[in-house]
């Protein structure tokens, strides 16, 4: 039974040894271990604090990025609107100029046609007058070549002319 129950002397020496080891550990090992644990706890807290700060900073940057993106979208929309308006204005100006140029060309064409028409009418009148004179000249030569025909023509003119 001695194996199961220890003796009083053994218990005494084990207690003394335990107290000496406890004293030595508390004197030399306990403070460095506690210091290491405290340092580790402090570094973990600092790391958690830095992580929280980084998280807050990232959220701030994210919000700032969203704000910048919104501003960029607004600026893009504004530029697109201005470009569209400028394009539309340019198209309208070009249409107006084209219409004015077309109207001017039509007016010039009408004036040119009218001038050519007048010139053609004048030329036709001149040709008609020339042909009339030539025909009259031929008829008169033919009729006036005969003295009796000349006499008859003079008599006809005299009859047509009435004296007042």
């Amino acid at each position: 039974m001695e194996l199961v129950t220890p003796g009083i002397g053994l218990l005494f020496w084990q207690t003394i040894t335990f107290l000496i080891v406890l004293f030595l550990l508390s004197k030399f090992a306990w403070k460095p271990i506690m210091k290491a644990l405290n340092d580790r706890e402090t570094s973990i807290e600092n790391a958690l604090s830095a992580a929280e700060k980084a998280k807050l900073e990232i959220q701030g940057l994210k919000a700032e990025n969203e704000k910048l993106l919104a501003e960029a979208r607004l600026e893009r929309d504004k530029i697109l609107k201005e470009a569209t308006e400028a394009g539309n204005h340019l198209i309208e100006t070009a249409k107006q100029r084209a219409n004015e140029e077309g109207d001017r060309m039509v007016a010039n064409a009408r004036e040119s046609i009218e001038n050519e028409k007048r010139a053609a009418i004048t030329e036709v009148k001149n040709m008609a007058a020339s042909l009339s004179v030539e025909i009259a000249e031929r008829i008169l030569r033919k009729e006036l070549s005969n003295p009796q025909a000349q006499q008859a023509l003079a008599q006809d003119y005299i009859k047509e002319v009435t004296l007042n």
Side-chain angles (χ1 to χ4, degrees), residues 51-159:
E52 187 66 30
K53 286 179 184 178
K55 183 179 177 183
L56 290 175
E57 188 174 316
I58 287 174
Q59 287 177 349
L61 290 174
K62 195 174 186 181
E64 189 175 326
N65 282 346
E66 289 296 324
K67 180 182 174 185
L68 288 174
L69 280 174
E71 288 176 3
R73 284 185 188 114
L74 288 174
E75 186 69 23
R76 180 201 62 197
D77 292 343
K78 179 182 173 186
I79 290 171
L80 285 175
K81 182 181 176 185
E82 288 175 359
T84 303
E85 288 175 359
N88 289 340
H89 178 69
L90 194 61
I91 289 171
E92 287 299 318
T93 304
K95 282 182 183 179
Q96 185 179 6
R97 286 183 185 165
N99 286 339
E100 290 172 0
E101 184 68 19
D103 291 344
R104 187 182 59 77
M105 290 175 74
V106 167
N108 287 344
R110 285 184 180 157
E111 185 178 325
S112 176
I113 289 170
E114 190 64 32
N115 289 339
E116 289 180 19
K117 180 180 168 184
R118 284 189 204 127
I121 289 173
T122 303
E123 188 177 333
V124 167
K125 285 181 182 179
N126 289 339
M127 287 178 71
S130 175
L131 285 174
S132 297
V133 168
E134 192 176 316
I135 290 171
E137 185 180 320
R138 286 183 185 175
I139 290 173
L140 285 176
R141 276 190 202 155
K142 187 176 181 183
E143 288 187 10
L144 294 178
S145 61
N146 184 351
Q148 290 174 345
Q150 286 179 9
Q151 193 69 15
L153 185 61
Q155 290 297 325
D156 285 338
Y157 283 147
I158 290 171
K159 287 179 186 174

